[in-house]
Amino acid sequence: MVEAVERDEKSDCAAALAVDVGIDDGFDLNDAVIVALGCNDKGAWASCREALEAALARFRSEGIDVVARSSWWSSLAWPDPEDPPFLNGVVMVRTAHDPHELMAALGRIEDAFGRERSARNAPRTLDLDLIAYGRLSGDLDGLILPHPRAAERRFVMGPIVEIAPLWLHPTQGGTASELVETASVGRDAHPLK
C-alpha cells in the first residue's frame, strides 16, 4: 500500500532535482509532450507501482516513446483524503500522434487497465492525463491544452521538476520549479525513495 506522509517540501524538491532521468541535452523543452500517470486502486496488479510500470511498458505498443520519466510520488487522495492515497508520476514522450490521437491512445491504455469512469475523482486503476503538447494552448476541438489544472497540482509539478525544472508552462509563464512552490493541491505530495 502507498503511504502518504507529510515531509519537508523544500528538501523533497531539492532531492527531486538530483534525479538523473537521462534526458538528452539536445531536447527542446518547447517541444515537450508531457503525460501524467496516477493510480490509487491497484485493481488486478500487486500494487499501484506495478500497475503504473506496466502502463509505461504499454506506451511503446501505442506509438508513444518515453524520453524521460520522474520517480513515483505519493500523495493523499484529493478531494477526499479518506480514499486510498495516490501514486503519481510524469513522463516526457515523443510520438507521431497529434494531440487527439495521443489522447485516444492514452484512453486505450486506461481501458486495458480497467479504468472505470464512475463518480468524479473516484479511486482509479489508471489515470493518464496529457499535461502539455509542446507550446499548444487553447481549446482544440474539446481538448484543452495545457491541462487546465496541472499548475495547481504538486503531484504533477513536482515530478516535472525532476525531469525538466526549466520547463515553461505554455500559458502560466512560470517554470516547473516556480510553479511547484505555488501549487495548492496535493501539498503533501513527495517522491518515494
Side-chain angles (χ1 to χ4, degrees):
M1 172 186 257
V2 176
E3 184 177 297
V5 295
E6 290 203 24
R7 309 207 18 167
D8 178 59
E9 295 170 9
K10 297 267 188 221
S11 65
D12 284 343
C13 288
L17 288 170
V19 174
D20 177 19
V21 296
I23 193 167
D24 62 54
D25 292 335
F27 189 81
D28 185 350
L29 291 179
N30 286 317
D31 297 331
V33 177
I34 300 173
V35 176
L37 300 90
C39 174
N40 72 334
D41 175 355
K42 65 183 179 72
W45 302 96
S47 67
C48 282
R49 183 187 296 254
E50 186 178 296
L52 291 172
E53 292 290 346
L56 280 178
R58 180 121 182 201
F59 274 38
R60 181 163 288 231
S61 68
E62 287 287 351
I64 307 165
D65 293 320
V66 174
V67 174
R69 62 177 281 188
S70 71
S71 61
W72 299 122
W73 285 54
S74 177
S75 65
L76 295 173
W78 183 90
D80 186 357
E82 296 299 315
D83 282 341
F86 262 93
L87 197 60
N88 292 94
V90 301
V91 291
M92 201 170 291
V93 302
R94 284 193 178 106
T95 184
H97 295 316
D98 69 30
H100 288 283
E101 293 168 341
L102 179 55
M103 283 299 297
L106 296 175
R108 286 190 297 274
I109 296 169
E110 286 180 335
D111 291 345
F113 279 71
R115 168 73 188 265
E116 292 182 15
R117 286 167 173 71
S118 56
R120 184 177 167 103
N121 296 313
R124 41 207 173 269
T125 52
L126 183 61
D127 188 17
L128 300 175
D129 289 326
L130 180 55
I131 301 303
Y133 194 100
R135 306 304 297 163
L136 289 178
S137 66
D139 187 336
L140 308 174
D141 295 322
L143 173 60
I144 306 212
L145 289 173
H147 187 288
R149 293 171 300 285
E152 302 166 7
R153 298 174 172 176
R154 188 167 197 268
F155 52 83
V156 172
M157 299 315 301
I160 292 175
V161 168
E162 285 185 352
I163 60 176
L166 298 179
W167 173 75
L168 190 64
H169 192 284
T171 58
Q172 303 262 341
T175 65
S177 292
E178 293 165 342
L179 293 172
V180 74
E181 297 300 323
T182 59
S184 59
V185 176
R187 294 297 306 166
D188 66 300
H190 62 276
L192 298 178
K193 303 294 180 215

